[in-house]
Amino acid sequence: PAIPETVCEGTTIQVQNDNEYPIVIRYPNGLNWVGRENQVTNLNPSVAGTYKVGYLRNNRFKEKTTFVVHELPTAEMDFVDLSQKYLNGLPTIEVRSTSEAAAYRWDYENGSVEGINAGLHFFDVGLHLVRLTVTNENGCSSTVEKPVNVTEDYNLMAMNAFYPTGNDRTTNTFMPYALTERNVAF
């Protein structure tokens, strides 16, 4: 039977049985799954561990091969501080994963970033969805989503008096403070 090399818990795999006798897959907990002869069937292994593949002959299990179902990582995340901070002139909410994984990916409306910790930038008031996907060393991944409530609109912090014809240098030029923090030409 053809079985994929990497199998994760809860992933549906197709098992192709080209034999003229039923295939038997023995779960790590001892339960048997039986697939029909000369058919492709779907299997959804929900228990991590080593699965034995074979057939029954005279009510005895004859093992032909094995495959391993890998455990899914647990995706967990926290918001470090929900008060909107400005880092490098941008409003930033810090998030961190409390999961043990090989890779971390944060997706949100303004893009995606990687790493166990991240600073996410939100510019509008309201609820925004943050999604964390963690992947373990076996390539298995899990995702969690949480909303974050942004309580302030992004403000460039521009001064409130602008006199382009005045003699005072602090009021005759216009440069939003946030842009000076980001070292960006305006």
Side-chain angles (χ1 to χ4, degrees):
I3 296 173
E5 285 183 32
T6 301
V7 179
C8 300
E9 282 179 308
T11 302
T12 300
I13 59 171
Q14 288 192 333
V15 178
Q16 181 173 340
N17 183 9
D18 295 328
N19 299 309
E20 301 208 6
Y21 46 85
I23 188 174
V24 175
I25 297 179
R26 182 162 285 169
Y27 279 63
N29 59 10
L31 295 177
N32 289 334
W33 175 88
V34 179
R36 295 180 129 166
E37 57 275 352
N38 294 314
Q39 283 193 0
V40 175
T41 55
N42 291 328
L43 175 69
N44 189 338
S46 58
V47 177
T50 301
Y51 287 65
K52 298 176 181 178
V53 181
Y55 58 93
L56 291 176
R57 184 74 80 198
N58 298 327
N59 286 333
R60 299 189 84 185
F61 179 74
K62 303 288 184 180
E63 183 179 318
K64 286 298 197 182
T65 189
T66 62
F67 67 95
V68 176
V69 173
H70 300 284
E71 189 173 354
L72 291 176
T74 302
E76 296 174 336
M77 66 191 248
D78 287 327
F79 295 102
V80 176
D81 184 359
L82 289 179
S83 64
Q84 197 162 11
K85 297 179 181 176
Y86 289 90
L87 297 175
N88 297 324
L90 291 174
T92 304
I93 293 179
E94 295 179 78
V95 291
R96 71 170 168 228
S97 174
T98 55
S99 305
E100 290 188 30
Y104 305 83
R105 179 181 172 98
W106 301 90
D107 292 298
Y108 67 113
E109 66 196 42
N110 293 319
S112 62
V113 294
E114 295 186 9
I116 192 166
N117 301 313
L120 308 180
H121 309 295
F122 297 96
F123 303 102
D124 299 316
V125 168
L127 282 176
H128 303 273
L129 193 61
V130 176
R131 179 182 304 120
L132 168 65
T133 301
V134 295
T135 304
N136 65 17
E137 63 279 350
N138 297 313
C140 300
S141 61
S142 293
T143 300
V144 64
E145 295 179 341
K146 286 188 179 180
V148 60
N149 187 27
V150 175
T151 57
E152 295 178 25
D153 276 327
Y154 178 53
N155 182 348
L156 287 177
M157 294 183 240
M159 56 195 196
N160 60 4
F162 175 54
Y163 305 104
T165 58
N167 293 331
D168 184 352
R169 180 151 170 70
T170 62
T171 60
N172 70 3
T173 57
F174 176 77
M175 173 61 74
Y177 173 74
L179 294 180
T180 64
E181 288 291 304
R182 289 176 23 206
N183 195 19
V184 183
F186 180 68

